Amino acid sequence: MSTLVSVNVGMPKDVEWNGRIVHTGIWKSAVSGPRMVRRRNVDGDGQGDPYGHGGEQRAVFFYQLESIEYWQAYFGHESYEFGQFGENFTVTGLPDDEVCVGDRYRIGEAEFEVTQPRVTCFRVGMRLNEPDLPSLLVSHGRPGFYFRVLEEGHVRSGDEIVRTRRGPHGMTVADVDALLYTPNRTTEALESAVDLPALSPGWRQSFRDLLSPAEKPAGPGWTGFRPLTVTRLVRESATIMSVYLDAPGEPSRPRGPASTSPSGCPAPKERRWSAAIRSRRPRATAST
């Protein structure tokens, strides 16, 4: 049986990080008693980046207690606070490799539908002081997932989570996440993903773009070296430096799969490359 272990909320705030100010809602904490869940949010919760988080397609973020314990062992952390991964609901059960996009669940008075995996950004790494965490969530198949709210209502910790409908095609959250972010995808899998009615529009469009890539211009695909200008250097952490480059006078390129993020917001006009040096500290082993 799956259970809602904790309901977590938090409002956005400015946080100093690596010499700059980040506006973020990643800091969430557990609340007691019943809490109202509405179409776009949980009462008392907010997002610092509305383009990538929140809204009807991403109203509630779920993360599993089992995944939290996995990362505790991996990083060697001794303690954990509910909401530390930015999750609104901390739950037992509902693993990413079993829950399917389109699955529906009843919790307390409310009903929910799975819409997409979490799109990780640097803020979750900032919250746990683990800058590699965003990429690890994908490579280890533990992204967590978002719900849309089909029926508003009150929920509280201890509520049982009951599946009311199975999504079509049997595509799990982990399957959909890997389909976008890892190689060796198949046309059949992309077509199945596009056919998921519950999938968030931004993710569906990304898969459509992968099925129908933009036409390539005639002639060679590479015309030689060209000068680039470094426009900005941003130290993301002790081991990661982001370098922003610009090609002066270069015309804008047609929008392709990389021009829109899975959250549906346009990619920045600047192209961005990041160089990272991995820490050599030992990792604790963990089993699932």
Side-chain angles (χ1 to χ4, degrees):
M1 182 182 74
S2 299
T3 304
L4 177 57
V5 176
S6 180
V7 179
N8 316 299
V9 300
M11 297 302 294
K13 62 181 180 179
D14 291 336
V15 177
E16 185 175 356
W17 185 67
N18 289 337
R20 61 189 177 115
I21 301 299
V22 178
H23 189 63
T24 176
I26 193 72
W27 266 261
K28 303 188 187 299
S29 56
V31 292
S32 59
R35 181 65 51 139
M36 186 67 180
V37 180
R38 305 187 190 276
R39 295 287 181 185
R40 300 180 63 87
N41 224 330
V42 181
D43 277 4
D45 193 49
Q47 292 76 40
D49 175 15
Y51 294 103
H53 309 279
E56 290 190 10
Q57 305 297 326
R58 304 178 299 266
V60 181
F61 175 55
F62 272 54
Y63 208 55
Q64 306 89 350
L65 187 60
E66 293 83 357
S67 285
I68 292 166
E69 292 170 346
Y70 174 89
W71 295 118
Q72 279 186 274
Y74 184 88
F75 289 117
H77 292 175
E78 296 181 355
S79 61
Y80 167 77
E81 299 174 4
F82 289 128
Q84 200 167 6
F85 280 78
E87 79 272 16
N88 297 115
F89 290 178
T90 312
V91 303
T92 57
L94 304 183
D96 294 325
D97 58 0
E98 292 183 12
V99 171
C100 293
V101 172
D103 283 358
R104 293 183 179 183
Y105 295 90
R106 168 72 59 178
I107 308 174
E109 300 173 349
E111 187 174 13
F112 305 86
E113 183 175 54
V114 180
T115 57
Q116 65 171 73
R118 176 186 195 162
V119 180
T120 55
C121 68
F122 72 92
R123 290 173 177 83
V124 66
M126 175 182 73
R127 176 67 178 88
L128 280 88
N129 196 30
E130 296 289 353
D132 292 337
L133 183 58
S135 61
L136 291 172
L137 292 172
V138 175
S139 62
H140 287 238
R142 295 177 178 271
F145 52 90
Y146 281 105
F147 272 167
R148 72 164 55 89
V149 179
L150 300 177
E151 182 179 343
E152 297 180 345
H154 289 91
V155 301
R156 64 189 305 162
S157 60
D159 281 344
E160 183 180 359
I161 303 174
V162 179
R163 191 174 69 198
T164 59
R165 194 186 78 169
R166 190 68 163 164
H169 302 308
M171 294 194 73
T172 68
V173 169
D175 290 338
V176 172
D177 199 53
L179 187 62
L180 187 64
Y181 291 121
T182 61
N184 303 320
R185 58 181 67 92
T186 66
T187 298
E188 181 181 4
L190 288 170
E191 289 174 343
S192 295
V194 168
D195 193 48
L196 292 171
L199 188 64
S200 295
W203 279 73
R204 189 180 298 113
Q205 186 58 51
S206 292
F207 292 134
R208 285 199 186 104
D209 291 341
L210 289 168
L211 279 169
S212 305
E215 292 185 6
K216 296 181 179 179
W222 180 71
T223 57
F225 292 104
R226 65 190 189 283
L228 298 174
T229 301
V230 177
T231 60
R232 187 153 52 111
L233 298 175
V234 178
R235 179 163 293 282
E236 306 287 3
S237 71
T239 59
I240 298 176
M241 172 76 78
S242 292
V243 181
Y244 289 78
L245 303 176
D246 186 36
E250 182 181 274
S252 61
R253 302 173 68 181
R255 289 171 66 89
S259 300
T260 304
S261 73
S263 61
C265 55
K269 292 182 180 179
E270 289 179 306
R271 294 182 179 85
R272 174 179 175 176
W273 289 262
S274 295
I277 303 173
R278 288 191 174 274
S279 168
R280 294 184 178 272
R281 65 179 172 175
R283 298 293 194 191
T285 59
S287 58
T288 56

